[in-house]
């Protein structure tokens, strides 16, 4: 709301002076001359005006802008003065209620409102009362929908404390949650974004590090489901574990902008040895294939080209390959290849029953192996060029997949280990690392878990743990991509459904606060002047004073709290309206008299949760329902015995004590 004190002061003086004067153009001109067009708009924005009042304010604005415009309707100064009177009567209190909505000056609001409520002093106009009540209810509706951060983050920490896999995959986030001040969770600023980003970027490397460190460094089995000791042993013995490790290292270096030539040299040096030739395991098959590819690619370089960038024409094209068109050229090409590693080629050609000295076999190798290799190398080259220029996620994925295809499609010996499952794992790795490179973590945890699933036997007992990893991974990803605090609040609302400012009541031995308990009730109700009781249920929002305590010392905060709640009002009807519509005006003016609902209840606040269960009595309010149509149904007061399930949202913390 725009409420300058200068405008308030000016209008106050005008009200005092103009009431003494008769209405005529002389004095009205002086009155209107002091009104600022832009400031007058704040009156219209702030009050629940009738259609007639709105029309008069609109006419006033147009008149002040264009006083000689014949289209302007004559203004009614009596209505204008009445609107200003209403505005003047509640402006200070309404400012306080809006400060509450913004989380500011809540103590001042309490000093302003609570004494009036307790004394029954409702001297404000109906419009002022309606706006104050609506302002308070907007606050609770907002809290009801978005003030959930502390609970969700505390649940994240508690769940990670129970599920070891979360600590393994998201170690920095867990450390941060352990050290963090819960009251600062709602900010979820850049510090959290950076930590979440770090963990999601390293989710697969974190997993590999843990597997490689087993058994020297491992969590106790009772804290784990997916990564128990027996499963880690199975993973490390799986035929496709080391192929996955090799591919991970290969892709990781590619997304660090190392050229494929450098990467192939590095992987070849690290994983290939002559001992690989005598094994048909998947790991050694990958190492042999990479060694062969590296030998070939290094001899298929386009050295006649000037290298202008990393992805200039590094390798020859298929058209250039045709320049080997005489038998002598082909023979010399293969002889030069053979002399670079005759042990490897002897083993390779023996296995595939090829005599490298025969021209027909040399031509067969060119057709079946070298031509497809050149096509793949040129695909890598073109994808690399495109990605350098545009850095489009889809192009990066194509680039990474082309590098993996070198291994998948160029296996020389069909009798070597079947790589069918490896193909699936490799494609998952492409998704994981392309997401990391592009900071698009929405599916990173999903594909990392799919790789684990490929390496382990399917087990329904894993599903609960997998679900939690995916849930928190998606939550962290969306927080990283949020552009502002409002988006973060929406993300919290999406992933959780619990508000959070109850935490003091579950932590301290004694608390005293002004509290709201929005929730749902079932009750037996009897209207005044009637004898029969009837069943009634619905939305409720009692506001009052609550004293909470813990009967026994609770140093570890493992118990809930008991509360004695003395309510003064019940804004359930307005809350029900606001949950459906938080922008439009209330269809009716609501006064304190209509929502006055004294009562008392005993509340139990569940540990680690804002949920409360209450049983009690209340004098029912007149206002039970707000409808968008005219003639909203209202009832007389009555008596209600209720059972209430509600969120615990303290409005003002008055006092607390940790004394045991």
């Amino acid at each position: 709301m725009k409420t300058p004190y200068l405008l308030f002061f000016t209008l106050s003086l005008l009200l005092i002076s103009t009431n003494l004067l008769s209405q005529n153009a002389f004095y009205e001109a002086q009155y209107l001359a002091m009104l600022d067009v832009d400031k007058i708009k704040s009156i219209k924005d702030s009050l629940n005006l009738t259609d007639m009042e709105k029309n008069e304010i609109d006419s006033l604005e147009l008149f002040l802008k264009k006083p000689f415009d014949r289209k302007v309707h004559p203004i009614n100064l009596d209505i204008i003065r009445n609107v200003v009177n209403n505005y003047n009567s509640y402006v200070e209190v309404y400012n306080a209620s809006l400060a509450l909505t913004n989380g500011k000056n809540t103590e001042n609001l309490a000093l302003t409102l609570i004494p009036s409520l307790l004394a029954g002093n409702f001297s404000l106009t109906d419009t002022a009362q309606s706006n104050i009540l609506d302002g308070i209810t907007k606050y609770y509706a907002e809290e009801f929908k978005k003030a959930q951060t502390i609970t969700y983050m505390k649940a994240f920490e508690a769940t990670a404390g129970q599920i070891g896999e979360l600590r393994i995959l998201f170690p920095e986030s867990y450390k941060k949650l352990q050290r963090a001040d819960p009251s600062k969770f709602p900010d979820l600023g850049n510090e959290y974004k950076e930590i979440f980003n770090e963990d999601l970027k390293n989710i697969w490397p974190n997993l590999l590090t843990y597997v490689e460190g087993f058994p020297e460094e491992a969590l106790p089995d009772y804290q784990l489901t997916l990564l128990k000791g027996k499963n880690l042993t199975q993973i490390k013995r799986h035929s496709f574990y080391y192929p996955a490790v090799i591919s991970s290292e290969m892709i990781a270096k590619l997304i660090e902008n190392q050229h494929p030539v450098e990467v192939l040299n590095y992987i070849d040096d690290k994983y290939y040895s002559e001992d690989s030739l005598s094994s048909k395991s998947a790991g050694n098959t990958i190492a042999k294939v990479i060694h062969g590819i590296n030998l070939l690619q290094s001899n298929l370089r386009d050295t006649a080209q000037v290298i202008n960038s990393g992805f200039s024409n590094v390798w020859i094209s298929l058209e250039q390959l045709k320049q080997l068109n005489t038998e002598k050229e082909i023979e010399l090409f293969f002889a030069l290849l053979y002399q670079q590693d005759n042990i490897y080629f002897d083993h390779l050609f023996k296995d595939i029953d090829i005599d490298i000295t025969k021209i027909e076999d040399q031509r067969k190798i060119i057709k079946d192996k070298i031509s497809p290799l050149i096509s793949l190398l040129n695909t890598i080259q073109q994808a690399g060029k495109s990605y350098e220029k545009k850095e489009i996620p889809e192009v990066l994925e194509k680039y990474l997949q082309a590098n993996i295809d070198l291994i998948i499609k160029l296996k020389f010996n069909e009798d070597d280990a079947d790589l069918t499952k490896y193909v699936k794992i490799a494609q998952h790795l492409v998704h994981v690392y392309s997401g990391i490179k592009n900071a698009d973590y929405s599916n990173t945890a999903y594909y990392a878990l799919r790789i684990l699933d490929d390496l382990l036997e399917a087990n329904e007992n894993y599903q609960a743990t997998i679900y939690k990893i995916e849930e928190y991974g998606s939550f962290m990803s969306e927080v990283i991509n949020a552009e502002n605090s409002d988006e973060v609040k929406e993300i919290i609302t999406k992933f959780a459904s619990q508000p959070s400012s109850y935490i003091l009541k579950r932590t301290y031995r004694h608390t005293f606060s002004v509290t709201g308990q929005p929730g749902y009730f079932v009750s037996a109700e009897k209207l005044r002047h009637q004898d029969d009781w009837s069943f009634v249920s619905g939305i409720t929002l009692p506001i009052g004073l609550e004293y909470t305590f813990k009967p026994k010392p609770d140093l570890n905060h493992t118990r809930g709290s008991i509360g004695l709640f003395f309510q003064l009002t019940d804004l359930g009807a307005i809350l029900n309206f606001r949950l459906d519509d938080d922008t439009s005006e209330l269809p009716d003016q609501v006064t304190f008299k209509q929502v006055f609902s004294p009562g008392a209840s005993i509340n139990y606040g569940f540990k680690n949760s804002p949920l409360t269960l209450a049983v009690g009595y209340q004098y029912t309010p007149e206002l039970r329902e707000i409808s968008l149509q005219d003639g909203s149904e209202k009832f007389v007061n009555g008596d209600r015995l209720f059972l209430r399930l509600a969120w615990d949202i303290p409005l003002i913390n008055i006092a607390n004590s940790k004394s045991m």
Side-chain angles (χ1 to χ4, degrees):
M1 185 180 92
K2 303 172 184 175
T3 317
Y5 288 108
L6 180 60
L7 175 61
F8 173 68
F9 179 72
T10 301
L11 293 178
S12 298
L13 291 177
L14 289 171
L15 285 170
I16 294 171
S17 60
T18 55
N19 285 336
L20 302 175
L21 303 172
S22 60
Q23 292 185 0
N24 59 57
F26 174 78
Y27 291 111
E28 289 175 355
Q30 296 176 62
Y31 176 82
L32 295 175
M34 297 182 68
L35 297 180
D36 186 302
V37 175
D38 293 329
K39 306 291 174 53
I40 282 294
K41 288 181 179 178
S42 67
I43 296 177
K44 185 172 64 173
D45 294 338
S46 305
L47 297 180
N48 288 324
L49 302 176
T50 65
D51 290 339
M52 182 180 295
E53 289 170 335
K54 287 179 182 177
N55 289 336
E56 288 302 323
I57 291 293
D58 289 339
S59 295
L60 175 62
E61 288 180 331
L62 187 56
F63 174 77
L64 292 176
K65 290 178 181 177
K66 300 179 178 180
F68 295 100
D69 190 336
R70 293 185 179 183
K71 296 179 182 178
V72 177
H73 300 292
I75 58 176
N76 187 324
L77 260 295
D78 289 333
I79 294 177
I80 295 296
R81 286 193 177 96
N82 184 57
V83 170
V84 172
N85 264 318
N86 287 338
Y87 180 83
N88 188 50
S89 68
Y90 84 92
V91 63
E92 288 182 332
V93 181
Y94 190 43
N95 271 345
S97 72
L98 284 184
L100 167 66
T101 306
N102 293 324
K104 302 173 183 176
N105 300 326
T106 55
E107 294 81 6
N108 293 338
L109 176 67
L111 293 174
T112 305
L113 291 181
I114 293 174
S116 295
L117 287 169
L118 294 175
N121 179 19
F122 305 140
S123 59
L124 298 174
T125 66
D126 289 355
T127 300
Q129 293 180 47
S130 182
N131 279 308
I132 292 169
L133 291 171
D134 194 31
I136 294 172
T137 312
K138 281 181 178 179
Y139 166 77
Y140 274 101
E142 181 73 7
E143 286 296 299
F144 200 63
K145 289 192 268 187
K146 56 85 178 174
Q148 303 155 328
T149 310
I150 292 178
T151 298
Y152 191 73
M153 299 301 282
K154 292 295 287 183
F156 190 171
E157 178 193 351
T159 305
Q162 297 169 356
I163 300 177
E165 284 84 357
L166 286 171
R167 304 202 297 279
I168 292 166
L169 298 178
F170 309 128
E172 297 307 316
S173 298
Y174 181 64
K175 290 176 187 175
K176 175 64 178 177
L177 291 171
Q178 284 186 304
R179 298 190 301 263
D181 177 355
S183 66
K184 296 181 180 178
F185 281 151
D187 297 335
L188 271 183
N190 290 332
E191 186 177 1
Y192 278 96
K193 286 190 174 189
E194 290 172 7
I195 290 171
F196 288 172
N197 186 78
E198 186 68 17
D199 274 346
L200 286 172
K201 183 173 70 174
N202 290 306
I203 184 172
W204 178 248
N206 286 342
L207 178 60
L208 287 181
T209 299
Y210 185 77
V211 175
E212 286 296 304
F214 176 79
E216 288 76 14
E217 299 177 11
L219 296 176
D221 266 6
Y222 70 85
Q223 297 181 6
L224 299 160
T225 304
L226 279 167
L227 300 177
K228 289 181 181 292
K230 65 176 183 178
N231 286 353
L232 293 176
T233 301
Q234 178 181 334
I235 289 171
K236 293 182 79 168
R237 290 177 178 173
H238 198 288
S239 60
F240 295 108
Y241 172 67
Y242 280 106
V245 171
I246 294 171
S247 297
S248 296
E249 198 165 357
M250 179 176 172
I251 296 175
K253 290 187 175 297
L254 289 169
I255 67 169
E256 291 172 359
N257 295 322
Q258 292 192 31
H259 195 277
V261 170
E262 299 173 27
V263 176
L264 286 170
N265 284 329
Y266 170 81
I267 298 295
D268 189 12
D269 288 342
K270 182 172 181 178
Y271 290 100
Y272 174 76
S273 70
E274 290 185 8
D275 293 337
S276 304
L277 297 174
S278 58
S279 171
K280 292 187 178 181
S281 70
N284 283 309
T285 296
I286 299 297
K288 285 187 289 185
V289 170
I290 289 176
H291 182 65
I293 291 169
N294 199 32
L295 280 171
L296 289 174
Q297 71 83 21
S298 62
N299 287 279
L300 295 171
R301 302 280 184 81
D302 192 359
T303 54
Q305 289 287 336
V306 176
I307 305 298
N308 295 318
S309 72
F311 286 94
S312 293
N313 297 326
V314 178
W315 298 286
I316 65 170
S317 65
L318 289 174
E319 288 299 315
Q320 289 171 297
L321 181 63
K322 293 178 182 178
Q323 293 175 13
L324 289 176
N325 58 1
T326 67
E327 292 185 0
K328 189 63 176 176
E329 288 172 334
I330 294 172
E331 179 186 32
L332 291 174
F333 171 76
F334 278 99
L336 291 169
L337 269 180
Y338 179 78
Q339 295 302 328
Q340 290 177 25
D341 193 342
N342 51 30
I343 295 175
Y344 174 80
F345 284 114
D346 280 342
H347 180 87
L348 173 66
F349 296 140
K350 177 182 177 183
D351 279 354
I352 59 178
D353 193 24
I354 281 182
D355 185 352
I356 196 173
T357 64
K358 296 180 178 178
I359 187 64
E360 58 269 22
D361 284 348
Q362 293 168 0
R363 291 189 182 278
K364 178 177 175 58
I365 293 172
I366 289 174
K367 177 185 176 183
D368 295 345
K369 300 299 177 184
I370 294 180
S371 291
L373 174 62
I374 290 176
S375 294
L376 284 170
L377 292 174
N378 279 276
T379 299
I380 291 171
Q381 200 160 260
Q382 294 306 315
K385 284 181 182 179
S386 298
Y387 186 69
E388 273 189 328
K389 291 178 181 177
K390 300 178 182 178
E391 294 197 351
I392 300 173
E394 293 79 6
V395 177
L396 173 63
E397 199 156 308
K398 181 179 179 182
Y399 170 59
L400 296 179
Q401 187 64 55
N403 280 275
I404 289 294
D405 285 347
L406 285 174
I407 303 172
I408 294 171
K409 297 180 178 179
L410 289 172
K411 185 175 64 167
F412 290 98
N413 188 351
E414 299 303 322
D415 293 332
D416 280 332
D418 181 13
L419 298 183
T420 304
K421 182 171 282 191
Y422 169 73
V423 172
K424 187 177 179 182
I425 292 174
Q427 288 170 340
H428 290 335
L429 283 169
V430 167
H431 293 311
V432 168
Y433 279 97
S434 62
I436 289 171
K437 175 65 175 178
N438 296 305
D440 179 11
Y441 303 118
S442 55
N443 291 314
T444 305
Y446 173 83
Y447 284 111
L449 290 170
R450 298 291 76 77
I451 297 170
L452 261 186
D453 192 48
D454 289 335
L455 298 175
L456 291 172
E457 299 296 330
N459 189 325
E460 62 181 17
N461 295 328
Y462 301 156
Q463 292 309 306
T465 299
I466 289 172
Y467 172 79
K468 282 298 179 185
I469 295 171
E470 289 180 345
E471 176 192 342
Y472 287 116
S474 297
F475 164 70
M476 292 161 66
S477 172
E478 294 203 27
V479 168
I480 290 169
N481 293 323
E483 295 184 0
N484 52 55
S485 60
D486 288 337
E487 287 191 14
V488 172
K489 292 169 188 174
E490 290 300 320
I491 292 165
I492 296 291
T493 301
K494 174 182 174 181
F495 282 88
S497 58
Q498 305 177 70
S500 55
S501 47
Y502 67 90
I503 196 77
L504 292 177
K505 297 181 183 181
R506 308 300 187 268
T507 305
Y508 288 89
R509 181 77 185 273
H510 305 277
T511 72
F512 186 53
S513 61
V514 178
T515 291
Q517 300 273 341
Y520 192 82
F521 74 91
V522 294
S523 72
E525 182 175 302
K526 181 173 74 68
L527 300 180
R528 291 297 165 97
H529 313 301
Q530 291 186 359
D531 296 327
D532 296 331
W533 291 80
S534 58
F535 174 81
V536 177
S537 65
I539 297 291
T540 182
L541 173 48
I543 298 177
L545 301 171
E546 184 180 29
Y547 167 70
T548 68
F549 64 95
K550 294 189 175 186
K552 297 180 181 180
D554 186 20
L555 295 173
N556 296 320
H557 311 308
T558 58
R559 300 188 184 97
S561 61
I562 296 174
L564 301 177
F565 182 61
F566 302 94
Q567 70 181 66
L568 298 172
T569 65
D570 189 339
L571 307 182
I574 309 176
L575 176 64
N576 193 37
F577 175 79
R578 281 294 167 212
L579 289 174
D580 290 332
D581 188 341
D582 60 0
T583 57
S584 63
E585 298 174 354
L586 289 176
D588 297 307
Q589 289 186 354
V590 180
T591 65
F592 287 113
K593 178 176 177 291
Q594 291 176 282
V595 297
F596 182 61
S597 180
S601 62
I602 298 176
N603 300 341
Y604 177 75
F606 294 92
K607 66 175 183 178
N608 298 322
S609 171
L611 203 62
T612 65
L613 185 64
V615 59
Y617 161 84
Q618 75 178 104
Y619 176 74
T620 60
E622 287 184 3
L623 183 65
R624 315 292 183 81
E625 176 183 340
I626 291 181
S627 172
L628 289 174
Q629 299 176 350
D630 292 336
S632 301
E633 188 176 4
K634 298 181 178 67
F635 300 87
V636 297
N637 297 104
D639 300 285
R640 177 183 293 167
L641 299 173
F642 62 81
L643 181 69
R644 179 178 65 231
L645 188 66
W647 304 122
D648 188 355
I649 305 179
L651 178 61
I652 304 166
N653 180 42
I654 298 174
N656 53 65
S657 171
K658 279 188 175 178
S659 61
M660 293 296 168

